[in-house]
């Protein structure tokens, strides 16, 4: 459980980074003229759509990790079991990727950012714009779903983390924790509007970067450190 | 967009085949070749206020939301969460899945169902029927299982397959639209608008409404919409789409500009010289559109295979289920059958040829080479023999003075006198003489009492002396003396195929002018390149053997036949066809129409009129002989792409189908496999758009763009046939 709580916390910290882009979307989604309850409903629907996409990505990433591990190790690994070589390689790769993304958050790797964000984002953004203005009650859900697919380094980082769990279900749970972590900030943005100063947003980005860096280092350690016991202790309450 | 023909897809510009869809977008009727294009077009072009475009996105988003949730819940189920003590929850979870799946199925499956229905009404079974049937069966079984209270339901498979198909077709359509970007300017001529200046006020009008004499303003970066003359401004234009050559041509007041060329750096005010719909550019657009909407033989075969394969796959799917049902529970056998139906969906086969051919046609058209239909490209790629016409194709088609033999008179005097006489004549050879005099800066001698003697030559008076220019018969009639050496020389020149003009004054023949149609400077290198492509090259001409032999030797053709009537040319082609199977004829499109029409590929060089006459199936721009090797290379590349596409599509389908029949491929995986196969074809075909441009640099002695335009106009020759003059 500790593991998912850490992810939740990282998601919460990271969500201050989200405010830059996704927060803008949440603001644009705005208030429902039918009253505060409708507004809350609207934003819950939007966030539910987003969360679903995250979970889906987590599931896919986890399943891919699982496929990789089973094709090497011939044994479905679990988080609290001992690590075989395939899992170690996966953990090291994931850890390195996360550290790269963290560095990018600190503005150290500009090229990487472009690769991460330039991938099909423009078409999605175009389609999102036309959804924003739609009065349909179903529009926020669709908006959230597409928003979840928007290229975002934060989401990628956690998807990589999900892949390193080498299982569809833990993958889903990683992204679920992360997604739930982003809920408070995003709901707040939707309800209150833009209230954080740019300087605060910058601090949010650093906070998110630090958390990802930490997670990346831990994941890397999981792959590198020789003692399975260490991992076991760390990911203690994870599902089995 | 409404100006576009109805049989091209509004999004990817491919011909609309069997899977046509009609929709209204932004208030305009649009037709799409598939569901993917329909989505992609609305995502890209749908205005945000437009309800339909947003509605489509909402539906897709909600469909994705439901599908993903179904998958997530199913994953939790598969993990065994609801076994043991929580098993009582299972029926409720199944019910929840059912509730989620039903709207998802309706939302995502509706286009496929509608398509199946429309085709069924026409008595056809298409690939969408496979999807509908497979997904419908999985859904129906799952309902049954839910009511029965059994362990397994397959709502996730049913919805996920639909979702993947939708995404796959969207991605594929997006890729195809990338290909269509090349075609866009070529199809724009008629729908394009131009800025018309009328008594100081500017208004946007469709190009087809522009008539002669109207003033049109063209900003830098815009395409010149009409043929005309610059009356204000200074700029450069790129005429690649008309002449095939991408180079900057300087334009100033008085310069002629061609519709379809791109105005590069300065604003121009142009006076239109003709109707907007009568330009070569407009002709090119019509021709490209016609070509795109036709289907090639390979495509027809592929379509037939697709048509036959669908019922076959249905039967195969049924048999698979029947077989596996004896070995495993029925629900799993059903899944195997679903995988078979999904993976056998022959979308990729239908896509293999049209994408590659339209890319090829667009690539050629952007350089001014027009193809009548996709079959032309295929035939050209298989061509092993190229027969050339001589006059106007390998040669400039205009005689030039190549030698002056004189007897007691200076060359300049001869030319000045001959020009003085011949400038009163309309004869083709006369033009060559006045041109030669002008080129040397000679003032033609003033000549009076000029009269033409039909079939003989021309007579007149200059400086009080009688003057004559014409053939030996004219000199014989006049009884003028001719030095034996000159007579001998003239005879040998005539024997070698030259045209000979005797020039005399004061009772004596003073000179013999020899004229000849000279080969184009690029002819030799072109023939050489063609030969290096493995083609056999031959010359078929109606001219006399000596002239033909000389030209053949100059351009490097060994095999030639002369003195051929058009019928004899056709017979010769037929004979070649027996040993070379596919033969192409290259002509100027004016005199050799029937022969061009008779060849497997008739190639006309530079004849704008021929576009309308439909004798040639490939038309090169004026002076575009040098592009022929490139055109053939493109055609071969297109054919190779089509063949690899087809091999890939069939091979991929067969392997995947085998796996599916053996029960080794999950339906969801099968859908992913299908989507990726179409994507691979798109990527493979897109390589065509990276083909290099033809390289004119290999041409010897090409003029830079300094002044050809003004020279052409000064000569009173139409701008269109300009490059031929430059080189002649």
């Amino acid at each position: 459980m500790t593991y998912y709580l850490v992810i939740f916390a990282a998601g919460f910290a990271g969500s201050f980074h989200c405010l830059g882009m996704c927060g803008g979307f949440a603001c644009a989604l705005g208030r429902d003229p039918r009253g505060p309850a409708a507004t809350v409903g609207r934003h819950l629907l939007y966030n539910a759509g987003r969360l679903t996409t995250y979970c889906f990505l987590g599931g896919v990433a986890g399943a891919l990790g699982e496929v990789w591990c089973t094709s090497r190790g011939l044994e479905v690994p679990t988080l609290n079991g001992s690590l075989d070589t395939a899992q170690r390689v996966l953990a090291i790769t994931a850890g390195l990727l996360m550290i790269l993304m963290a560095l990018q958050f600190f503005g150290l790797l500009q090229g990487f950012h472009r690769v991460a964000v330039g991938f099909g984002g423009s078409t999605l953004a175009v389609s999102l714009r036309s959804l924003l203005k739609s009065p349909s009650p179903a529009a926020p859900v669709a908006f959230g779903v597409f928003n979840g697919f928007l290229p975002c380094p934060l989401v990628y980082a956690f998807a990589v983390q999900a892949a390193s769990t080498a299982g569809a279900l833990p993958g889903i749970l990683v992204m679920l924790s992360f997604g739930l972590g982003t809920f408070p900030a995003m709901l707040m943005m939707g309800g209150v509007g833009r209230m954080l100063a740019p300087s605060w947003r910058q601090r949010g980005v650093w906070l998110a970067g630090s958390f990802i860096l930490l997670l990346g280092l831990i994941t890397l350690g999981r792959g590198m450190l020789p003692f399975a016991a260490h991992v076991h202790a760390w990911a203690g309450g994870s599902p089995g | 967009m409404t100006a576009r023909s109805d049989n091209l897809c509004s999004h990817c510009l491919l011909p609309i085949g069997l899977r046509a869809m009609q929709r209204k977008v932004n208030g305009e009727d649009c037709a799409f070749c598939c569901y993917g294009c329909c989505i992609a077009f609305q995502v890209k072009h749908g205005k945000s206020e437009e309800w339909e475009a947003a509605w489509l996105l909402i539906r897709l988003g909600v469909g994705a939301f439901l599908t993903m949730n179904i998958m997530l819940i199913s994953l939790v189920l598969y993990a065994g969460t609801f076994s043991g003590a929580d098993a009582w929850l299972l029926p409720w979870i199944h019910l929840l899945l059912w509730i989620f799946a039903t709207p998802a199925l309706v939302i995502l499956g509706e286009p496929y169902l509608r398509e199946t229905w429309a085709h069924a009404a026409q008595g056809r079974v298409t690939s969408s029927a496979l999807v509908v049937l497979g997904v419908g069966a999985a859904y129906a079984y799952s309902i049954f299982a839910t009511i029965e209270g059994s362990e397994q339901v397959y709502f996730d498979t049913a919805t996920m397959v639909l979702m993947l198909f939708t995404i796959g077709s969207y991605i594929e359509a997006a890729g195809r639209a990338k290909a269509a970007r090349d075609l866009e300017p070529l199809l724009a001529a008629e729908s394009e608008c131009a800025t018309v200046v009328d008594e100081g006020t500017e208004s946007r009008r469709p190009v087809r409404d522009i008539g002669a004499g109207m003033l049109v303003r063209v900003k830098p970066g815009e395409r010149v919409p009409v043929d005309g003359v610059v009356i204000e401004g200074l700029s450069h234009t790129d005429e690649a789409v008309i002449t095939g050559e991408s180079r900057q041509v300087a334009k100033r007041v008085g310069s002629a500009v061609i519709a379809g060329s791109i105005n590069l750096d300065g604003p121009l005010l142009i006076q239109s010289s003709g109707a907007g719909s009568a330009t070569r550019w407009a002709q090119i657009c019509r021709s490209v559109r016609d070509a795109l909407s036709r289907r090639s033989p390979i495509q027809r075969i592929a379509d037939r295979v697709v048509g036959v394969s669908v019922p076959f796959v249905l039967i195969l799917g049924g048999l698979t289920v029947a077989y596996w049902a004896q070995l495993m529970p029925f629900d799993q056998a059903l899944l195997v059958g679903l995988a078979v139906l999904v993976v056998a969906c022959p979308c990729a086969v239908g896509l293999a040829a049209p994408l590659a051919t339209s890319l090829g046609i667009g690539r050629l058209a952007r350089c001014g080479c027009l193809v009548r239909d996709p079959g032309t490209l295929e035939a050209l790629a298989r061509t092993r023999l190229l027969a050339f016409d001589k006059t106007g194709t390998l040669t400039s088609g205009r005689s030039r003075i190549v030698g002056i033999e004189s007897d007691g008179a200076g060359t300049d005097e001869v030319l000045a006198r001959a020009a003085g006489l011949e400038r009163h004549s309309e004869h083709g050879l006369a033009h060559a003489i006045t041109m030669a005099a002008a080129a040397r800066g000679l003032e033609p001698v003033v000549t009076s009492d000029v009269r033409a003697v039909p079939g003989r030559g021309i007579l007149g008076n200059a400086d009080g002396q009688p003057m004559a220019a014409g053939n030996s018969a004219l000199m014989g009639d006049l009884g003028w003396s001719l030095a034996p050496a000159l007579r001998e020389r003239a005879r040998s020149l005539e024997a070698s195929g030259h045209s000979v003009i005797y020039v005399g004054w004061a009772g004596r023949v003073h000179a013999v002018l020899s004229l000849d149609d000279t080969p184009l400077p690029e002819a030799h290198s072109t023939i050489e390149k063609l030969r290096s492509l493995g083609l056999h090259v031959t010359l078929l001409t109606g001219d006399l053997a000596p002239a033909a032999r000389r030209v053949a030797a100059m351009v490097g053709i060994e095999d030639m036949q002369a003195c051929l009537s058009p019928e004899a040319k056709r017979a010769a082609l037929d004979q070649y066809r027996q040993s070379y199977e596919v033969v192409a004829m290259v002509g100027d499109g004016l005199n050799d129409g029937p022969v061009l029409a008779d060849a497997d590929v008739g190639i006309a060089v530079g004849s704008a009129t021929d576009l309308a006459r439909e004798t040639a199936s490939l038309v090169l721009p004026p002076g575009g002989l040098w592009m022929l090797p490139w055109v053939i290379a493109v055609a071969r590349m297109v054919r190779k792409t089509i063949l690899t596409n087809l091999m890939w599509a069939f091979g991929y389908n067969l392997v995947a189908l085998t796996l599916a029949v053996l029960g080794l491929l999950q339906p969801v995986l099968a859908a992913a496999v299908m989507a990726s196969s179409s994507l691979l074809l798109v990527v493979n075909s897109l390589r065509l758009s990276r083909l290099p441009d033809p390289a004119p640099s290999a041409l010897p002695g090409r003029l830079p763009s300094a002044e050809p335009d003004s020279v052409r106009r000064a000569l009173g020759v139409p701008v269109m046939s300009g490059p031929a003059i430059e080189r002649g």
Side-chain angles (χ1 to χ4, degrees), chain A residues 52 56 123 127 130-131 134 169, chain B residues 57-58 65 68-69 72 79 170:
Chain A
T52 302
F56 174 78
T123 318
S127 55
S130 72
L131 274 176
S134 170
L169 203 54
Chain B
L57 284 172
I58 292 173
F65 176 76
M68 287 191 291
N69 275 306
L72 294 172
Y170 170 78

Side-chain angles (χ1 to χ4, degrees), chain A residues 164-176:
Chain A
S164 80
T165 61
L169 203 54
I172 293 173
L173 289 177
V174 165
M175 288 304 270
L176 183 71

Side-chain angles (χ1 to χ4, degrees), chain A residues 128-151:
Chain A
L128 281 174
R129 222 172 299 138
S130 72
L131 274 176
L132 268 179
K133 292 178 186 156
S134 170
S136 159
V141 179
F143 186 69
V145 167
F146 290 126
N147 188 350
F149 281 112
L150 268 184

Side-chain angles (χ1 to χ4, degrees), chain B residues 214-571:
Chain B
M214 285 183 169
L215 297 183
V216 178
R217 193 176 294 288
V218 187
K219 289 191 212 87
E222 279 185 345
R223 233 167 241 281
V224 177
V226 288
D227 291 337
V229 178
V230 177
I231 57 171
E232 194 184 295
L234 198 64
S235 181
H236 288 84
T237 63
D238 181 348
E239 301 175 346
V241 76
I242 308 296
T243 63
E245 242 181 289
S246 189
R247 63 190 168 112
Q248 298 194 0
V249 184
K251 299 290 175 190
R252 51 179 166 268
V253 173
S255 302
V257 287
I258 319 175
S261 55
I262 301 169
N263 180 18
L264 294 172
D265 38 21
L268 292 174
L269 189 63
I270 291 164
Q271 181 160 41
S272 164
S273 59
S277 55
T279 59
R280 186 174 157 90
W281 186 38
Q283 278 181 329
I284 288 175
C285 294
R286 279 194 287 273
S287 145
V288 168
R289 183 177 308 136
D290 283 353
L292 285 179
S293 57
R294 287 176 199 187
R295 289 193 300 158
S296 67
I298 289 187
Q299 184 57 29
R300 253 175 253 135
I301 294 170
D303 284 349
R304 212 168 297 150
V305 169
V306 169
V308 174
S309 71
V310 172
F312 169 76
V313 169
L314 282 177
I315 295 168
L316 186 69
L319 288 178
T320 313
V321 174
Y323 172 77
W324 284 107
Q326 296 167 0
L327 303 176
M328 51 167 75
F330 179 72
D331 57 335
Q332 286 181 33
L334 200 65
L335 276 197
V336 175
L338 172 59
V340 169
L341 292 189
V342 165
V343 90
C345 198
C347 325
V349 176
L351 186 69
L355 185 56
T357 39
S358 50
L359 274 168
I361 289 172
R363 191 72 195 77
L364 292 176
R366 260 193 304 158
C367 290
C369 305
L370 301 183
V371 177
R372 189 154 314 288
D373 65 71
T376 305
L377 283 181
E378 281 167 31
L380 189 63
R382 285 166 50 225
T383 296
R384 289 174 53 209
L385 176 121
L386 268 176
F388 281 89
D389 182 37
K390 183 178 77 79
T391 313
T393 307
L394 288 176
T395 67
S396 62
R398 291 176 194 80
S399 289
R400 286 195 323 164
I401 293 183
V402 292
I404 298 174
E405 308 288 334
S406 59
D407 173 28
T411 321
D412 284 355
E413 188 192 359
V414 172
L415 258 187
R417 283 179 178 270
L421 200 54
E422 295 283 11
R423 68 174 168 168
H424 299 281
S425 167
E426 298 282 309
H427 197 273
L429 297 179
H431 186 66
I433 293 174
T434 48
M435 286 267 289
R440 291 192 182 208
L442 299 174
E443 190 65 31
V445 176
V446 180
T447 312
S448 56
D449 302 337
V450 178
R451 65 194 166 88
V453 186
R456 292 273 198 272
I458 191 164
L459 300 172
N461 275 306
D463 305 336
Q465 293 171 321
M467 281 273 318
N471 54 19
S472 57
L474 179 70
M475 300 302 156
D477 289 351
L478 293 170
W480 288 2
S481 67
L482 177 58
L486 208 54
R487 183 193 304 274
E488 205 42 52
R489 186 77 193 114
R491 196 167 292 153
S492 77
L493 278 169
E494 261 170 331
S496 65
H498 289 90
S499 309
V500 172
I501 294 179
Y502 296 79
V503 181
W505 58 90
R508 196 159 77 87
V509 178
H510 281 85
V512 173
L513 309 179
S514 56
L515 289 94
D516 190 21
D517 189 9
T518 50
L520 295 172
E522 71 265 31
H524 189 265
S525 62
T526 304
I527 300 288
E528 212 163 83
K529 271 191 212 157
L530 288 173
R531 211 173 271 138
S532 71
L533 286 171
L535 289 161
H536 187 86
V537 184
T538 182
L539 182 70
L540 301 179
T541 176
D543 269 10
L544 296 173
R549 207 172 295 130
R550 217 184 44 255
V551 169
M554 283 170 83
V555 301
I557 296 179
E558 284 134 31
D559 185 13
M560 58 141 267
Q561 296 184 34
C563 297
L564 298 177
S565 63
E567 287 71 35
K569 280 187 188 174
R570 285 163 75 169

Side-chain angles (χ1 to χ4, degrees), chain B residues 109-131:
Chain B
E110 186 260 355
Y112 294 99
L113 188 62
R114 196 197 284 193
E115 195 180 315
T116 309
W117 189 255
H119 290 161
Q122 298 166 15
R124 285 190 290 138
V125 189
T126 48
S127 51
S128 59
L130 299 177
V131 180

